[in-house]
Amino acid sequence: MQTTVLWLGTLVAFVAVQNGVTQTEEPTFPPGRNRWFASQYTECSRTCEGTQTRDVYCRRTLSSDRSRVRVPDRFCDQDDPRIKPIERRSCGQECATYTWDTTAWSNCSAVCGAGTQTRTVRCRKVTRTSDTFVADRECIRENIGLKPRAQRNCNSACSYETSAWSVCSVTCGGGTRTRTIRCVHTAGDGSTTTVRPSDCAADDSLTRPRGSEECNTDLCGEYRYVWTHATAVVTATIFSFLQVDHGRLR
């Protein structure tokens, strides 16, 4: 068996060759003090929820010249009362998703006709551990798109509905008849609701139907005969007058 001594800085390794096979014995280490050493952390791998790493190993400060050499971790496990420092840690803030959050549109401000609708628009921030509303500038900074509008025009559909005409107040001689008029709002689902007359009146596109009108304007029986007779007498008198006058002209 052939044995070769290799000098590795301050470490000594023995390499033995037996039957053509190389065997390396663990190097010996000069005496010194063993302590854990940790290098500086690397830059964070991501701007949010990233990781940082560093080199952690057992380092011996030699008693002879105070130089330092790396030795197997077991030496620090035996000599250093501290636990081996971590080699990896999380870094960066929590990753977050930003969105514009909108509520449902309010009812139209006008019951009938043109009005406005409003809604609440807020910047929403969602992380693994939280779901909160934040200042609008954070959504603007993240460039997620224009803030949705919080107001829009609307038009509420209304119409007048009328009942059938009532019976005339008199049978002859001129009377009146009436009907009920109501203002009706029609919702988007087709359902209808009776609203205040002033709501329809506020809609310039609507014309209110008449609520009353004249009826049975013919003269009643006795007065009809008198009037007819008087008309006949007047007609006959005029005719006679014209005949006399015409005779004179001859």
Side-chain angles (χ1 to χ4, degrees), residues 101-112:
D101 183 85
T102 57
T103 61
W105 287 106
S106 67
N107 292 328
C108 193
S109 60
V111 179
C112 299

Side-chain angles (χ1 to χ4, degrees), residues 98-154:
Y98 293 85
T99 57
W100 289 114
D101 183 85
T102 57
T103 61
W105 287 106
S106 67
N107 292 328
C108 193
S109 60
V111 179
C112 299
T116 56
Q117 288 177 290
T118 59
R119 63 179 177 179
T120 301
V121 181
R122 295 178 291 182
C123 179
R124 185 176 186 178
K125 177 183 177 182
V126 179
T127 67
R128 290 184 298 103
T129 59
S130 64
D131 186 345
T132 57
F133 293 109
V134 294
D136 287 356
R137 63 177 176 271
E138 296 197 32
C139 278
I140 295 172
R141 182 192 63 212
E142 294 296 320
N143 196 27
I144 62 172
L146 295 176
K147 181 179 180 180
R149 58 179 177 168
Q151 179 174 310
R152 70 179 180 183
N153 295 329
C154 57

Side-chain angles (χ1 to χ4, degrees), residues 11 13 21-22 33 48 53 57 63 78 80 87 89 106 114 117 136 153 167 187-188 190 205-206 216 224 231 245:
L11 307 182
V21 178
T22 302
R33 184 185 182 191
C48 65
T53 59
Y57 58 88
S63 302
Q78 297 170 357
D80 195 337
E87 299 177 76
R89 70 179 180 183
S106 67
Q117 288 177 290
D136 287 356
N153 295 329
V167 176
S205 66
L206 298 177
N216 293 344
R224 185 183 301 117
T231 302
D245 189 60

Side-chain angles (χ1 to χ4, degrees), residues 200-221:
C200 275
D203 187 351
D204 296 335
S205 66
L206 298 177
T207 301
R208 189 178 189 276
R210 291 179 300 165
S212 64
E213 67 177 6
E214 293 183 351
C215 58
N216 293 344
T217 56
D218 293 339
L219 294 175
C220 296

Side-chain angles (χ1 to χ4, degrees), residues 29-142:
F29 301 95
R33 184 185 182 191
N34 302 312
R35 289 291 182 268
W36 291 114
F37 170 80
S39 65
Q40 295 293 321
Y41 277 108
T42 61
E43 293 291 329
C44 194
S45 60
R46 297 174 56 189
T47 56
C48 65
E49 296 183 10
T51 55
Q52 291 177 294
T53 59
R54 63 180 177 178
D55 194 12
V56 178
Y57 58 88
C58 185
R59 189 173 67 177
R60 173 174 293 184
T61 302
L62 302 182
S63 302
S64 58
D65 57 5
R66 312 300 298 172
S67 62
R68 298 181 177 91
V69 295
R70 184 169 183 168
V71 296
D73 285 357
R74 72 172 185 276
F75 289 107
C76 281
D77 290 336
Q78 297 170 357
D79 299 341
D80 195 337
R82 299 173 301 167
I83 298 175
K84 182 179 181 180
I86 60 173
E87 299 177 76
R88 179 186 298 266
R89 70 179 180 183
S90 299
C91 58
Q93 61 185 1
E94 277 191 307
C95 289
T97 300
Y98 293 85
T99 57
W100 289 114
D101 183 85
T102 57
T103 61
W105 287 106
S106 67
N107 292 328
C108 193
S109 60
V111 179
C112 299
T116 56
Q117 288 177 290
T118 59
R119 63 179 177 179
T120 301
V121 181
R122 295 178 291 182
C123 179
R124 185 176 186 178
K125 177 183 177 182
V126 179
T127 67
R128 290 184 298 103
T129 59
S130 64
D131 186 345
T132 57
F133 293 109
V134 294
D136 287 356
R137 63 177 176 271
E138 296 197 32
C139 278
I140 295 172
R141 182 192 63 212
E142 294 296 320

